[in-house]
Amino acid sequence: MKVIVGNNEQISKLIAEEFIKQVNEKPNSVLGLATGTSPLKVYANMIKAYKNGKVSYKDVVTFNLDEYIGLEGTHNQSYRYFMNDNLFDHIDIDKNNTHVLLGVGDYLAYANQYDELIKQAGGIDLQILGIGSDGHIAFNEPGTPFDSLTHVAELAESTIKDNSRLFNDISEVPTKAVTMGLKSIMNAKRIVLIATGKNKAQAIYNLLKGKMTEEVPCSILQKHPDCTIYVDEEAYSLVK
Ligand code: F6R
């Protein structure tokens, strides 16, 4: 794994440049997208590039990592809402080509098709990941099998606590999610992970220096052939 250290502005710009290059080289690229605070500036840079005429996303296909169970796509904390609000509504992407797991209705049937849909689209060319303070990627919490495909997951206590900052009250945070599995993520041709802040330092240490174990879900990335970890000084502080 390659590591790049910079402040949030710098690493977000570099990751956005990777996405823009990917799309310019292959206009019908399949992009794997994440929600959360970590990719926000990446998406802002991707929007800016579109507005400046540097890229078009009109033939791009996207697959998002996860969705809370129980939230409609119109709920302002659902991941469908997040993606529309922070990226899709501001670029020329065809929303029919944007895939976000369902949190309501027959979410299980859709989840069961998800890996096949990704495969039929040609596989993910470039996947962005954030990381949880407990080392989760997507909603694969400690103990998730390395060979997992898209499935229903229980959120860890620490994740519910971390994510409660975005809800009125911790009791409103969903306790379950649908998520791409660790194997689904590892199938991506290239992966970039972004982590900033002290809260991520232990997870980044475990990712870069720890052993590969299902107790640390992100550690599976150690065996990905093309993965770059973008961190700020704080997230990197235990490694140095
Ligand atoms: C979001 C996701 C999660 C987040 C992680 C970090 O789609 O898959 O794994 O990447 O929880 O969240 P932030 O970026 O909010 O710290």
Short mmCIF file of all heavy atoms in Angstrom, two decimals, residues 34-39 65-66 79 130-132 136-139 163 165 200, ligand 1:
data_model
loop_
_atom_site.label_atom_id
_atom_site.label_comp_id
_atom_site.label_asym_id
_atom_site.label_seq_id
_atom_site.Cartn_x
_atom_site.Cartn_y
_atom_site.Cartn_z
N ALA A 34 -18.38 6.64 -1.47
CA ALA A 34 -18.64 6.55 -0.03
C ALA A 34 -19.36 7.80 0.44
O ALA A 34 -19.33 8.84 -0.24
CB ALA A 34 -17.31 6.43 0.72
N THR A 35 -19.97 7.72 1.59
CA THR A 35 -20.57 8.91 2.21
C THR A 35 -19.75 9.28 3.44
O THR A 35 -18.62 8.83 3.60
CB THR A 35 -22.05 8.64 2.58
OG1 THR A 35 -22.05 7.59 3.54
CG2 THR A 35 -22.87 8.27 1.36
N GLY A 36 -20.31 10.09 4.32
CA GLY A 36 -19.59 10.50 5.53
C GLY A 36 -18.86 11.81 5.30
O GLY A 36 -18.90 12.39 4.20
N THR A 37 -18.18 12.26 6.32
CA THR A 37 -17.49 13.55 6.26
C THR A 37 -16.24 13.46 5.39
O THR A 37 -15.90 14.42 4.68
CB THR A 37 -17.11 14.00 7.69
OG1 THR A 37 -18.29 14.00 8.49
CG2 THR A 37 -16.50 15.38 7.70
N SER A 38 -15.57 12.32 5.42
CA SER A 38 -14.25 12.21 4.78
C SER A 38 -14.22 12.59 3.30
O SER A 38 -13.31 13.30 2.88
CB SER A 38 -13.68 10.80 4.97
OG SER A 38 -13.68 10.46 6.33
N PRO A 39 -15.17 12.13 2.46
CA PRO A 39 -15.04 12.44 1.03
C PRO A 39 -15.65 13.78 0.60
O PRO A 39 -15.63 14.10 -0.59
CB PRO A 39 -15.80 11.29 0.36
CG PRO A 39 -16.82 10.86 1.35
CD PRO A 39 -16.29 11.21 2.72
N LEU A 65 -21.37 2.43 -1.29
CA LEU A 65 -21.00 1.33 -0.40
C LEU A 65 -22.15 0.82 0.46
O LEU A 65 -22.22 -0.37 0.76
CB LEU A 65 -19.92 1.82 0.58
CG LEU A 65 -18.52 2.04 0.01
CD1 LEU A 65 -17.68 2.80 1.03
CD2 LEU A 65 -17.88 0.71 -0.34
N ASP A 66 -23.01 1.74 0.94
CA ASP A 66 -23.91 1.30 2.01
C ASP A 66 -25.11 2.22 2.17
O ASP A 66 -25.17 3.31 1.58
CB ASP A 66 -23.14 1.18 3.34
CG ASP A 66 -22.14 2.31 3.56
OD1 ASP A 66 -22.27 3.36 2.90
OD2 ASP A 66 -21.23 2.15 4.39
N TYR A 79 -28.16 7.82 2.81
CA TYR A 79 -26.99 7.97 1.97
C TYR A 79 -27.36 8.33 0.52
O TYR A 79 -26.58 8.94 -0.20
CB TYR A 79 -26.11 6.73 2.06
CG TYR A 79 -25.39 6.65 3.41
CD1 TYR A 79 -24.71 5.51 3.80
CD2 TYR A 79 -25.39 7.74 4.28
CE1 TYR A 79 -24.06 5.45 5.03
CE2 TYR A 79 -24.73 7.69 5.51
CZ TYR A 79 -24.07 6.54 5.87
OH TYR A 79 -23.41 6.49 7.07
N GLY A 130 -13.85 5.73 3.19
CA GLY A 130 -13.48 6.34 4.46
C GLY A 130 -13.12 5.20 5.40
O GLY A 130 -13.05 4.03 4.99
N ILE A 131 -12.92 5.51 6.66
CA ILE A 131 -12.61 4.45 7.63
C ILE A 131 -13.24 4.83 8.97
O ILE A 131 -13.23 6.02 9.35
CB ILE A 131 -11.08 4.25 7.74
CG1 ILE A 131 -10.71 3.03 8.59
CG2 ILE A 131 -10.39 5.49 8.27
CD1 ILE A 131 -9.23 2.65 8.51
N GLY A 132 -13.78 3.86 9.67
CA GLY A 132 -14.35 4.13 10.98
C GLY A 132 -13.27 4.13 12.05
O GLY A 132 -12.19 3.57 11.86
N HIS A 136 -13.62 0.00 10.68
CA HIS A 136 -14.57 -0.50 9.67
C HIS A 136 -14.37 0.21 8.33
O HIS A 136 -13.91 1.35 8.29
CB HIS A 136 -16.03 -0.39 10.15
CG HIS A 136 -16.60 0.99 10.21
ND1 HIS A 136 -17.17 1.51 11.36
CD2 HIS A 136 -16.74 1.98 9.29
CE1 HIS A 136 -17.63 2.72 11.11
NE2 HIS A 136 -17.37 3.03 9.87
N ILE A 137 -14.68 -0.51 7.26
CA ILE A 137 -14.79 0.10 5.93
C ILE A 137 -16.17 -0.29 5.41
O ILE A 137 -16.62 -1.40 5.63
CB ILE A 137 -13.65 -0.31 4.97
CG1 ILE A 137 -13.39 -1.81 4.96
CG2 ILE A 137 -12.37 0.45 5.30
CD1 ILE A 137 -12.33 -2.24 3.92
N ALA A 138 -16.84 0.64 4.72
CA ALA A 138 -18.28 0.57 4.50
C ALA A 138 -18.87 0.30 5.90
O ALA A 138 -18.40 0.90 6.87
CB ALA A 138 -18.64 -0.47 3.46
N PHE A 139 -19.85 -0.59 6.04
CA PHE A 139 -20.32 -0.89 7.40
C PHE A 139 -19.88 -2.29 7.81
O PHE A 139 -20.59 -2.99 8.53
CB PHE A 139 -21.83 -0.71 7.53
CG PHE A 139 -22.24 0.71 7.82
CD1 PHE A 139 -23.23 1.34 7.09
CD2 PHE A 139 -21.63 1.44 8.85
CE1 PHE A 139 -23.62 2.65 7.37
CE2 PHE A 139 -22.00 2.74 9.13
CZ PHE A 139 -22.99 3.35 8.39
N ASN A 163 -21.56 8.38 14.61
CA ASN A 163 -22.50 8.93 13.61
C ASN A 163 -23.64 9.73 14.23
O ASN A 163 -24.35 10.44 13.52
CB ASN A 163 -23.05 7.80 12.74
CG ASN A 163 -21.97 7.20 11.85
OD1 ASN A 163 -20.81 7.58 11.95
ND2 ASN A 163 -22.33 6.28 10.99
N ARG A 165 -23.50 12.33 15.76
CA ARG A 165 -23.27 13.78 15.58
C ARG A 165 -24.16 14.35 14.48
O ARG A 165 -24.43 15.55 14.46
CB ARG A 165 -21.78 14.06 15.29
CG ARG A 165 -21.33 13.61 13.91
CD ARG A 165 -19.81 13.73 13.73
NE ARG A 165 -19.39 13.56 12.35
CZ ARG A 165 -19.22 12.39 11.75
NH1 ARG A 165 -19.46 11.27 12.41
NH2 ARG A 165 -18.83 12.33 10.51
N LYS A 200 -9.06 8.90 13.92
CA LYS A 200 -8.78 7.80 12.98
C LYS A 200 -7.37 7.23 13.16
O LYS A 200 -6.98 6.29 12.46
CB LYS A 200 -8.95 8.30 11.53
CG LYS A 200 -10.30 8.92 11.21
CD LYS A 200 -11.41 7.90 11.25
CE LYS A 200 -12.80 8.51 11.13
NZ LYS A 200 -13.13 9.01 9.81
C1 F6R B 1 -19.77 5.61 4.47
C2 F6R B 1 -18.98 4.49 4.97
C3 F6R B 1 -18.31 4.53 6.30
C4 F6R B 1 -17.52 5.83 6.52
C5 F6R B 1 -16.83 5.81 7.89
C6 F6R B 1 -16.14 7.13 8.18
O1 F6R B 1 -20.34 5.30 3.21
O2 F6R B 1 -18.90 3.52 4.30
O3 F6R B 1 -17.45 3.44 6.43
O4 F6R B 1 -16.57 5.96 5.52
O5 F6R B 1 -17.77 5.55 8.89
O6 F6R B 1 -17.07 8.15 8.27
P1 F6R B 1 -16.63 9.69 8.32
O7 F6R B 1 -16.01 9.97 7.00
O8 F6R B 1 -17.92 10.44 8.51
O9 F6R B 1 -15.69 9.82 9.44
#
